[in-house]
């Protein structure tokens, strides 16, 4: 008999924590408990990937009537009903949360709807007052969006807020140029909101392939997003009434000009930008990054190290400095993607409960940004590869058949970065509708170490957009 209440206590019921708990209990017979203070499913299911992707689908119908008319259909333009959609979205998230709870129960995991905190290396204290011991503790508490350090920043929304809006704003200012900023700029634009986006850097989607970033920025502007790069917010105030110049005027209530109970979505906001412009928006949306949820977990007292952004420091096996405590997913700020957190959870179970020490391979992870068009990417960007070795770049940008027929200006991009020495494809970048689906498959070849000649040997599927990936004969440049 073990001296502990459980073999494993998991803190956090998101993708990583739930998977680790289920597999440890279901496949190894371990006695497992899990505590979650909010909804089961975590960021991905409740306030991230899943509701976001459903909003992407909703917004993509904006062009459907016009495109269908170009193909001979007699279809009038329609209007989007946010409250109908939101009701269905909420029902779907309730269903998914139920599935998560059922999966845990089905695997024999005991769950606590409570916040948990480490008391010592083998003990957690729950917000209910209960104290539980475990041989191993797994922290999988995820992350949360952060607002910039700016007076009145509380007036702006973050991604968590967007799914709960009573009504869509007529106009929105999005701050940021990362995944969330660009995805929601496209979503809200598709749903009929006037979207302005300020990004402080020279080009959106820092870290991705430059050519791909350029095409996405161009496509976003073409679709009506008022994108300003090299621009940031300097001041924001709640605006009511009207100024002489026709602008709504700020109401100074407290030292920062805002009522303490005033929150996101409560009325227009007046914003001053670094370019000197002052404009009024119905809402401001901060997509300025995320922070690991490592506060008040009792880490410091135990000597568990955290990094500058609050991320828990772990080794390749997700183990912290305290041998019985492990951490996976966004709280470790390694690669903040759901499938990576799940893999880290599975590797933890292999290592700790199956006697098979397993490190997670964080190399060549395919991923997608769900802009319109999407960006799918795996491996090195042209810029990264050039710094590493001599390369050839194969690239094709064209108007795809489906939208070209409907006389839309949309362009797609297929790009391969090839090592001159080994002929291996070091990177693949696709900007196109469905690029997330395409890169999943291209990712297999790249992960297997396919060469450009392997791609060339593969017969094209015709007529498709992605056949270009196997028919690009001559490099557009060498470097
Ligand atoms: P990102 O780190 O991708 O982007 C944050 C953006 O905000 C950057 O453009 C950054 O600028 C800018 N920024 C940061 N601080 C400030 C500030 N004080 N003032 C103005 N701008 C600021 O974060 P996201 O929140 O978009 O996404 C978080 C993570 O979630 C992603 O990295 C990704 O791992 C994951 N994610 C994945 C998705 C997917 O797989 N499709 C979708 C959504 C999220 P700068 O570039 O100059 O630093």
């Amino acid at each position: 008999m073990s001296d502990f209440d459980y073999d494993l206590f998991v803190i956090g019921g998101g993708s990583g924590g739930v998977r680790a708990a289920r597999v440890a209990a279901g496949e190894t017979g371990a006695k497992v408990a899990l505590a979650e203070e909010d909804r089961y499913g975590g960021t991905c299911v409740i306030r991230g990937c899943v509701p976001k992707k459903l909003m992407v689908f909703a917004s993509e119908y904006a062009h459907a009537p016009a495109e269908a008319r170009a193909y001979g259909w007699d279809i009038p333009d329609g209007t989007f009903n946010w409250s109908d959609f939101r009701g269905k979205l909420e029902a779907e998230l309730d269903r998914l949360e139920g599935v998560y709870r059922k999966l845990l129960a089905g695997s024999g995991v005991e769950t606590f709807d409570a916040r948990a905190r480490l008391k010592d290396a083998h003990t957690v204290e729950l917000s209910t007052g209960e104290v539980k011991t475990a041989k191993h503790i797994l922290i999988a508490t995820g992350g949360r969006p952060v607002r910039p350090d700016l007076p009145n920043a509380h007036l702006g929304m973050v991604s968590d807020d967007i799914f709960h809006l009573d009504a869509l704003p007529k106009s929105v200012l999005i701050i940021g140029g990362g995944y969330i900023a660009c995805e929601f700029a496209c979503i809200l634009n598709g749903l009929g909101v006037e979207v302005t986006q300020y990004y402080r850097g020279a080009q959106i989607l820092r870290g991705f392939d430059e050519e791909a970033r350029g095409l996405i920025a161009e496509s976003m502007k073409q679709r009506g997003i008022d994108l300003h790069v090299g621009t940031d917010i300097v001041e924001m105030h709640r605006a009511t009434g009207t100024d002489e110049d026709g602008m709504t005027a700020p109401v100074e209530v407290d030292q920062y000009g805002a009522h303490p109970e005033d929150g996101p979505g409560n009325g227009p906001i007046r914003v001053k930008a670094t370019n000197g412009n002052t404009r009024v928006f119905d809402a401001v949306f901060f997509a300025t990054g995320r922070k690991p949820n490592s506060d008040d977990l009792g880490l410091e007292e135990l000597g568990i190290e955290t990094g500058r952004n609050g991320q828990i420091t772990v080794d390749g096996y997700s183990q912290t400095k305290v041998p019985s405590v492990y951490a996976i997913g966004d709280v470790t700020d390694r690669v903040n993607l759901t499938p990576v957190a799940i893999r880290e959870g599975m590797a933890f179970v292999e290592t700790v409960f199956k006697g098979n020490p397993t490190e997670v391979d964080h190399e060549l992870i395919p991923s997608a940004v769900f802009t319109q068009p999407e960006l799918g990417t795996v491996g090195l960007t042209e810029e990264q590869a050039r710094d590493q070795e001599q390369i050839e770049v194969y690239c094709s940008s064209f108007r795809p058949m489906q939208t070209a027929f409907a006389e839309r200006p949309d362009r797609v991009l297929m790009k391969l970065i090839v090592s001159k020495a080994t002929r291996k494809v070091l990177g693949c970048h696709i900007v196109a509708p469905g690029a997330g689906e395409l890169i999943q498959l291209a990712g297999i070849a790249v992960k297997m170490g396919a060469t450009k000649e392997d791609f060339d040997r593969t017969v094209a599927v015709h007529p498709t957009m992605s056949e270009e990936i196997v028919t690009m004969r001559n490099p557009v440049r060498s470097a």
Side-chain angles (χ1 to χ4, degrees):
M1 264 305 274
S2 160
D3 295 338
F4 301 106
D5 297 330
Y6 303 101
D7 299 310
L8 171 65
F9 198 103
V10 180
I11 307 179
S15 306
V18 167
R19 178 64 66 92
R22 274 177 52 204
V23 178
E27 292 183 15
T28 75
K31 193 171 179 214
V32 181
L34 182 147
E36 167 59 55
E37 64 172 335
D38 201 324
R39 299 186 63 183
Y40 285 69
T43 298
C44 172
V45 175
I46 304 297
R47 57 193 86 85
C49 321
V50 172
K52 181 273 307 285
K53 190 75 188 281
L54 290 168
M55 284 182 78
V56 170
F57 291 140
S59 71
E60 282 176 342
Y61 288 103
H63 295 285
E67 212 170 294
R69 284 198 295 275
Y71 276 86
W73 288 84
D74 179 14
I75 292 180
D77 279 337
T79 51
F80 175 69
N81 187 320
W82 168 251
S83 71
D84 280 3
F85 171 76
R86 202 192 64 177
K88 282 200 72 180
L89 179 68
E90 281 167 0
E92 177 60 4
L93 301 187
D94 289 347
R95 186 186 72 80
L96 289 171
E97 186 181 10
V99 169
Y100 267 63
R101 282 184 183 271
K102 224 184 243 166
L103 285 171
L104 285 168
S107 316
V109 176
E110 191 177 341
T111 53
F112 296 91
D113 290 3
R115 188 177 167 80
R117 192 176 191 284
L118 298 178
K119 206 166 173 240
D120 64 39
H122 293 284
T123 310
V124 295
E125 195 169 18
L126 300 177
S127 48
T128 53
E130 290 163 282
V131 173
K132 302 286 177 190
T133 60
K135 186 164 183 206
H136 302 283
I137 296 171
L138 178 66
I139 304 173
T141 46
R144 62 180 185 281
V146 286
R147 291 177 172 81
D149 187 13
L150 179 81
N152 288 332
H154 68 282
L155 299 177
M157 302 186 279
V158 291
S159 56
D160 289 2
D161 301 315
I162 204 114
F163 310 110
H164 305 293
L165 290 173
D166 290 331
L168 286 180
K170 200 170 156 299
S171 63
V172 67
L173 169 66
I174 299 181
I175 310 289
Y179 281 81
I180 296 180
C182 296
E183 290 183 344
F184 276 98
C186 294
I187 290 170
L188 293 171
N189 172 64
L191 297 181
V193 178
E194 282 168 29
V195 178
T196 304
Q197 184 178 354
Y198 291 169
Y199 173 52
R200 63 186 180 181
Q203 183 57 286
I204 55 167
L205 295 171
R206 183 164 62 82
F208 290 93
D209 186 86
E210 257 177 44
E211 225 165 351
R213 296 161 73 189
L215 179 56
I216 290 176
E218 198 183 299
S219 308
M220 285 169 63
K221 285 192 238 172
Q222 216 161 48
R223 283 167 185 244
I225 295 166
D226 186 16
L227 172 64
H228 298 257
V229 294
T231 307
D232 206 354
I233 186 170
V234 282
E235 263 176 42
M236 63 191 291
H237 298 277
R238 176 67 75 210
T240 52
T242 307
D243 279 355
E244 282 160 16
D245 62 359
M247 288 281 193
T248 51
V251 178
E252 304 287 337
V253 181
D254 65 12
Q255 58 170 333
Y256 295 129
H259 189 278
E261 283 168 24
D262 205 6
N266 286 350
I269 298 165
R270 183 178 189 166
V271 173
K272 191 168 170 195
T274 45
N275 61 13
N277 285 346
T278 299
R279 288 173 61 184
V280 174
F281 301 92
D282 281 347
V284 172
F285 178 172
F286 290 114
T288 45
R290 296 177 61 86
K291 195 174 165 25
N293 282 330
S294 60
D295 304 340
D296 197 28
L297 281 173
L299 302 178
E300 218 170 284
E301 295 87 324
L302 248 85
I304 294 175
E305 287 175 7
T306 52
R308 255 183 49 193
N309 197 29
Q311 73 274 25
I312 299 179
T313 310
V314 290
D315 66 12
Y317 300 97
S318 300
Q319 192 173 29
T320 70
K321 273 271 155 63
V322 174
S324 58
V325 181
Y326 289 72
I328 56 164
D330 287 8
V331 75
T332 62
D333 202 12
R334 286 176 280 180
V335 180
N336 297 331
L337 299 171
T338 298
V340 176
I342 290 173
R343 279 180 175 247
E344 288 166 359
M346 303 279 279
F348 158 78
V349 176
E350 282 291 324
T351 303
V352 175
F353 290 96
K354 295 190 177 178
N356 175 26
T358 305
E359 288 196 58
V360 174
D361 175 5
H362 289 105
E363 293 297 310
L364 292 173
I365 295 172
S367 72
V369 186
F370 293 99
T371 41
Q372 296 170 29
E374 289 172 15
L375 166 61
T377 181
V378 63
L380 301 180
T381 65
E382 179 180 341
E383 298 71 39
Q384 291 165 335
R386 232 194 276 143
D387 283 346
Q388 180 181 297
E389 61 185 277
Q390 295 221 307
I391 54 163
E392 284 178 354
V393 177
Y394 294 81
C395 187
S396 175
S397 179
F398 55 96
R399 291 174 69 200
M401 187 195 263
Q402 186 176 359
T403 44
F405 185 82
E407 290 173 22
R408 276 182 39 192
D410 308 22
R411 296 188 76 78
V412 301
L413 174 106
M414 306 279 160
K415 182 167 178 179
L416 294 177
I417 317 295
V418 178
S419 161
K420 267 191 182 169
T422 65
R423 303 302 298 156
K424 274 191 185 170
V425 175
L426 303 172
C428 175
H429 310 279
I430 301 176
V431 178
E437 306 290 343
L438 302 177
I439 205 69
Q440 179 69 81
L441 303 180
I444 301 171
V446 175
K447 186 77 184 166
M448 288 176 74
T451 60
K452 176 67 172 66
E453 286 63 39
D454 291 325
F455 274 65
D456 293 346
R457 283 192 299 123
T458 308
V459 175
V461 177
H462 185 72
T464 63
M465 289 180 297
S466 52
E467 66 183 297
E468 290 289 324
I469 217 90
V470 296
T471 55
M472 293 185 284
R473 290 285 163 251
N474 300 308
V476 289
R477 15 178 209 282
S478 295

